[in-house]
Amino acid sequence: MKGGIRLVEGGVCAAKGFRAAGVPARIKYEGRRDVALIVADAPCAAAAVFTTNAVAAAPVVYDRAAVKGGRIQAILANSGCANACTGEAGRRDAERSAIETARTLGIDPGLVLVASTGVIGHRLPMDRLLDGMRCAAAALAASPEAALDANRAVMTTDTKPKQAAAQVRIGGRTVTVGGMCKGSGMIEPNMATMLGFITTDAAISPTMLRRALRRAIAVSFNHVVVDGDESTNDSVFLLASGVAGNARISAPGRDMDLFTEALTAVGVALAKQMAADGEGATKFVSVTVKGARTPRDAERAARAIAKSPLAKTSWFGKDPNWGRVLAAAGYSGAAVDDRRAEVFYGRTWAYRKGRVADAAQLEWLARELEGPELSVTVDLHLGEHSATIYTCDLSLDYVHINADYTT
Amino acid sequence: MKGGIRLVEGGVCAAKGFRAAGVPARIKYEGRRDVALIVADAPCAAAAVFTTNAVAAAPVVYDRAAVKGGRIQAILANSGCANACTGEAGRRDAERSAIETARTLGIDPGLVLVASTGVIGHRLPMDRLLDGMRCAAAALAASPEAALDANRAVMTTDTKPKQAAAQVRIGGRTVTVGGMCKGSGMIEPNMATMLGFITTDAAISPTMLRRALRRAIAVSFNHVVVDGDESTNDSVFLLASGVAGNARISAPGRDMDLFTEALTAVGVALAKQMAADGEGATKFVSVTVKGARTPRDAERAARAIAKSPLAKTSWFGKDPNWGRVLAAAGYSGAAVDDRRAEVFYGRTWAYRKGRVADAAQLEWLARELEGPELSVTVDLHLGEHSATIYTCDLSLDYVHINADYTT
């Protein structure tokens, strides 16, 4: 990988200085891990990005204030209940769970963040949550198994855990970035029901850490689209322990660029896993728009295609319906001229400047649409700019899952 | 109805001065009406509104120029082929079909518009289309049956024809407005695969006609959402024969308002039929957002809810999942405060300023979600403004239809 970035095994315990745990606490279901704890050996430089939804869940409201100081040591997370639309009472629940976590860990309450995912509109079962938090605190470990347990504890409709880690040499030291996330439904740009937890042992200032996170998210988490819905709880957390021993990154430069690249590699790896695990997905689809007049045109055209129910159902149906793809680009607001545009499935063209695939071509296209991975590319031939969005198809199971999931 | 508007039976032949026909011409399928002709006894004042999709189909490109003159006498329409993304050849096909229609009817080619709907990327089968046009010309009649035949000929995945008509007294004369439309998939604001044909015997200037059409569409056709996709072909045509004998409407005033009201009544009746016939729809859903800070907030919140796959699948699942409804309002960009907002299904509240429906309430809600019609209302309690969007649920059949519909 470029910049000497190396993807490695592991999640939130890949970087030095972090322990994790995930335990069952009956938040919503019996015998399912639903409370996770991520704890650093000492206070960390911290950054976070949250949902842009005007209806922000209580934990998001709490964390926005708590993370401002730029130093965090622990994150308590639960699935099964989103603690959203729960009014003032919900906000008090979020604050109390942070305070109780701090007391259990023997640290300052200001060093704890909280995250919730699950059903909207229900109060947190505080007794169960706090009992679970205490069990998790007792189970904390720096092992890959502990990281995986924590990952499992934040899953909702996810069918599999999602972890990624990368290493890079910075100033002669090996810096590790590792993370985990949950998210499969209701996913859209700007953090929709998606929780990301990333840890690193890099030594870096909170300011540089915030900047690196924003840059990484812009091309990873924010480029995942499943159904275009955006949630009330989404958050991505990044903690840096500094124990890698590199010269502290406190200004732009080569070290900052290397760190941001490693962070981006982890973010993209997690983003692809979320898209591939989209609710009911039978296909991971990467949509690339190139030859756009502006960067904004490239992104909104790719986004419109990735969100189009008609395009998504055609991928599910293995139908090279390039007309729907081009039509979506057309209504995205991007400059599009169908007499110049080309549409490719994999490396096979379906539409080329007014020319349409013939029978022979359609056979090749059918093959491109067979597998579990599909790349759809639209070349607008109007400029230099391109963008890629990670998404999936829209299947019968998506409707099953979301028609049956009860409030 | 207000303003003395009376809804009556009929479609494009309800108003005086128009004949129609719909015939089978094997454009795509055997034995199915697929070519329609609407012809006025004399040149009419005309107005039209077209898709905003940058990828505009050939007939749209042709009509935009042709309708500028404000006088039209005939419209040729076909289903089975959209004549979109067909390059220069497709544009020549559109022009030629207008010229041939004019020759057959013995009128000026500049008085003919053309409309197509169906699969994107295929050339029109010109011989079949023109043969069909000639058969239709021979079959023209001013009867309700003829109007219905024309309606059937423009249907694609529509399960039923869609007609509406209204009458209003203007200056002591009875003015009739009647129309038909097609559209069930790929429907979104700004005219997505949706064709509307409206005729009236009102005497009115092209300028006033254009203004009335824009005003009527803003609250009818443009308030229909099925899947959020927007097509390349959508058009709404309005022809005014003038034979009602009212004093010609050539300026704003009471007559103009009455006419616009009647036109709007027809537009809304057609819009509701399209939403109710959304692909795979099991429910007609009207989404109303009130108490919004601005008109724009009301509309974008209602639109976001109507487009949300998670909200739509919950309606299909008869699940009063108000959290998804409120979350959609939250990411719409509209000002929303979940501590003040309320969500109603029918007349029953599900969420009220932080309070959540209890078991007893949920039973009432379940009943509201049983029927084929559902009204979802969000009161933001932040202002005076409201908007209603007509839509439907997202069902398993939507995916079936669109996964199997072949290019």
Side-chain angles (χ1 to χ4, degrees):
Chain A
M1 233 172 131
K2 73 172 153 72
I5 310 295
R6 203 159 48 84
L7 286 174
V8 298
E9 288 297 302
V12 287
C13 293
K16 295 193 218 74
F18 297 93
R19 293 171 301 150
V23 301
R26 294 184 289 112
I27 299 298
K28 187 179 177 196
Y29 301 103
E30 290 288 327
R32 173 168 160 171
R33 287 187 171 76
D34 47 18
V35 171
L37 201 53
I38 300 169
V39 180
D41 302 338
C44 293
V49 176
F50 301 100
T51 181
T52 60
N53 195 313
V55 179
V60 169
V61 174
Y62 180 83
D63 293 346
R64 278 192 182 126
V67 81
K68 279 212 172 71
R71 296 190 69 70
I72 293 297
Q73 188 169 355
I75 306 172
L76 173 69
N78 74 275
S79 57
C81 175
N83 189 14
C85 302
T86 44
E88 293 307 333
R91 301 193 178 181
R92 282 192 299 274
D93 292 341
E95 181 178 19
R96 187 168 154 238
S97 51
I99 291 168
E100 291 301 323
T101 302
R103 175 172 301 144
T104 301
L105 297 172
I107 63 175
D108 181 312
L111 293 172
V112 179
L113 297 179
V114 292
S116 297
T117 180
V119 178
I120 296 175
H122 292 258
R123 293 280 303 275
L124 282 169
M126 288 302 287
D127 296 348
R128 296 176 176 198
L129 176 67
L130 297 181
D131 288 347
M133 174 273 290
R134 292 183 194 99
C135 297
L140 286 169
S143 66
E145 297 67 31
L148 198 55
D149 287 347
N151 199 167
R152 289 223 171 78
V154 294
M155 287 165 56
T156 54
T157 52
D158 305 60
T159 65
K160 48 176 85 82
K162 302 169 181 70
Q163 299 190 127
Q167 290 185 327
V168 59
R169 298 283 293 178
I170 297 181
R173 299 306 189 101
T174 295
V175 166
T176 303
V177 180
M180 66 181 205
C181 66
K182 67 80 50 177
S184 72
M186 214 171 170
I187 288 187
E188 225 276 320
N190 309 322
M191 318 280 86
T193 295
M194 197 268 305
L195 295 178
F197 305 84
I198 305 175
T199 60
T200 178
D201 44 27
I204 179 169
S205 73
T207 309
M208 288 296 108
L209 199 65
R210 259 191 296 276
R211 193 179 300 182
L213 183 60
R214 295 207 171 281
R215 275 159 57 182
I217 280 177
V219 295
S220 59
F221 292 101
N222 281 351
H223 275 205
V224 178
V225 168
V226 171
D227 53 22
D229 268 302
E230 216 185 313
S231 118
T232 52
N233 290 58
D234 307 324
S235 318
V236 177
F237 306 95
L238 174 57
L239 304 186
S241 68
V243 300
N246 60 295
R248 189 160 179 275
I249 301 169
S250 55
R254 169 158 174 72
D255 289 359
M256 173 64 172
D257 293 343
L258 284 170
F259 174 73
T260 304
E261 245 183 73
L263 180 62
T264 302
V266 169
V268 168
L270 292 172
K272 289 181 172 179
Q273 291 177 63
M274 284 192 288
D277 196 25
E279 283 175 351
T282 70
K283 269 185 171 45
F284 165 70
V285 184
S286 61
V287 176
T288 300
V289 169
K290 51 189 196 181
R293 189 165 289 164
T294 66
R296 179 150 179 268
D297 274 11
E299 179 162 341
R300 57 188 182 177
R303 242 184 235 301
I305 295 164
K307 286 170 71 168
S308 161
L310 286 173
K312 295 168 98 67
T313 46
S314 69
W315 300 331
F316 173 62
K318 300 176 180 177
D319 173 14
N321 197 326
W322 57 268
R324 294 179 183 176
V325 171
L326 200 55
Y331 65 68
S332 70
V336 178
D337 180 344
D338 55 286
R339 289 164 302 180
R340 290 174 163 198
E342 300 178 301
V343 180
F344 294 81
Y345 291 80
R347 262 171 270 77
T348 311
W349 68 269
Y351 174 78
R352 181 165 255 174
K353 305 173 179 183
R355 268 175 64 215
V356 177
D358 57 15
Q361 192 75 357
L362 282 171
E363 278 183 35
W364 285 102
L365 286 166
R367 283 178 217 165
E368 298 282 8
L369 281 143
E370 273 308 317
E373 295 206 0
L374 171 67
S375 74
V376 176
T377 306
V378 175
D379 191 337
L380 297 173
H381 289 290
L382 295 175
E384 297 305 299
H385 304 282
S386 67
T388 296
I389 296 288
Y390 309 109
T391 188
C392 58
D393 57 347
L394 171 54
S395 72
L396 293 169
D397 281 348
Y398 175 87
V399 180
H400 275 302
I401 292 166
N402 289 300
D404 303 346
Y405 187 86
T406 39
T407 30
Chain B
M1 226 170 136
K2 73 175 160 71
I5 311 294
R6 202 158 49 83
L7 285 173
V8 298
E9 288 296 302
V12 286
C13 293
K16 296 194 218 71
F18 298 93
R19 292 172 301 151
V23 301
R26 295 185 290 112
I27 299 299
K28 186 178 177 197
Y29 301 103
E30 291 288 328
R32 172 168 161 172
R33 287 189 170 75
D34 48 18
V35 172
L37 202 53
I38 300 169
V39 180
D41 302 339
C44 292
V49 176
F50 301 101
T51 180
T52 60
N53 195 312
V55 179
V60 169
V61 173
Y62 180 83
D63 292 347
R64 278 191 181 127
V67 80
K68 280 214 172 70
R71 296 192 71 68
I72 294 296
Q73 189 169 356
I75 306 173
L76 173 69
N78 73 277
S79 57
C81 175
N83 189 15
C85 303
T86 43
E88 293 307 332
R91 298 192 180 183
R92 284 192 299 274
D93 291 341
E95 181 179 21
R96 184 165 156 240
S97 51
I99 291 169
E100 290 300 324
T101 303
R103 176 173 299 144
T104 301
L105 298 172
I107 63 176
D108 181 315
L111 293 172
V112 179
L113 297 180
V114 292
S116 297
T117 180
V119 178
I120 295 175
H122 293 259
R123 294 280 304 275
L124 281 168
M126 288 302 288
D127 296 349
R128 295 176 177 197
L129 176 66
L130 298 181
D131 289 347
M133 175 273 292
R134 292 182 194 99
C135 297
L140 285 169
S143 66
E145 297 67 31
L148 198 56
D149 287 347
N151 200 167
R152 290 222 169 78
V154 294
M155 286 164 57
T156 53
T157 51
D158 306 61
T159 65
K160 48 176 86 83
K162 302 169 182 68
Q163 299 190 126
Q167 290 186 326
V168 59
R169 299 283 294 176
I170 297 181
R173 301 305 190 98
T174 295
V175 165
T176 302
V177 180
M180 68 182 203
C181 66
K182 68 80 50 175
S184 72
M186 215 172 173
I187 287 186
E188 224 276 320
N190 310 320
M191 320 276 87
T193 296
M194 197 268 305
L195 295 177
F197 305 85
I198 305 175
T199 60
T200 177
D201 44 27
I204 179 170
S205 73
T207 310
M208 289 297 108
L209 199 66
R210 261 191 295 275
R211 192 177 302 182
L213 182 60
R214 295 206 172 280
R215 275 160 57 181
I217 281 178
V219 296
S220 59
F221 292 100
N222 281 353
H223 275 205
V224 178
V225 168
V226 171
D227 53 23
D229 269 302
E230 216 186 312
S231 118
T232 53
N233 290 57
D234 307 323
S235 318
V236 176
F237 306 97
L238 174 57
L239 304 186
S241 68
V243 300
N246 59 297
R248 189 161 180 274
I249 302 169
S250 55
R254 170 159 173 73
D255 289 1
M256 173 63 171
D257 293 342
L258 284 170
F259 174 73
T260 305
E261 246 183 74
L263 180 62
T264 303
V266 169
V268 168
L270 292 172
K272 288 181 172 178
Q273 290 177 64
M274 283 191 288
D277 196 24
E279 284 174 352
T282 70
K283 270 186 170 45
F284 165 71
V285 183
S286 61
V287 176
T288 299
V289 169
K290 54 188 193 181
R293 190 165 289 164
T294 66
R296 178 149 180 270
D297 273 10
E299 179 161 341
R300 56 188 182 177
R303 245 185 232 301
I305 295 163
K307 286 169 71 166
S308 161
L310 286 173
K312 295 168 96 67
T313 47
S314 69
W315 301 331
F316 172 62
K318 300 177 180 178
D319 173 14
N321 196 325
W322 57 268
R324 294 178 182 175
V325 171
L326 200 54
Y331 64 69
S332 70
V336 177
D337 180 344
D338 55 287
R339 289 163 303 180
R340 295 163 86 169
E342 301 178 301
V343 180
F344 294 82
Y345 291 80
R347 261 170 274 78
T348 310
W349 68 269
Y351 175 78
R352 180 165 256 173
K353 305 175 179 182
R355 270 175 61 214
V356 176
D358 57 16
Q361 191 74 356
L362 282 170
E363 276 183 36
W364 285 103
L365 287 166
R367 283 178 217 165
E368 297 283 7
L369 280 143
E370 274 308 316
E373 296 206 0
L374 171 66
S375 75
V376 176
T377 306
V378 175
D379 191 337
L380 296 174
H381 289 289
L382 295 175
E384 298 304 299
H385 304 281
S386 67
T388 296
I389 297 288
Y390 308 109
T391 188
C392 59
D393 57 346
L394 171 54
S395 73
L396 294 169
D397 282 349
Y398 175 88
V399 180
H400 275 302
I401 291 166
N402 289 301
D404 304 345
Y405 187 87
T406 39
T407 29

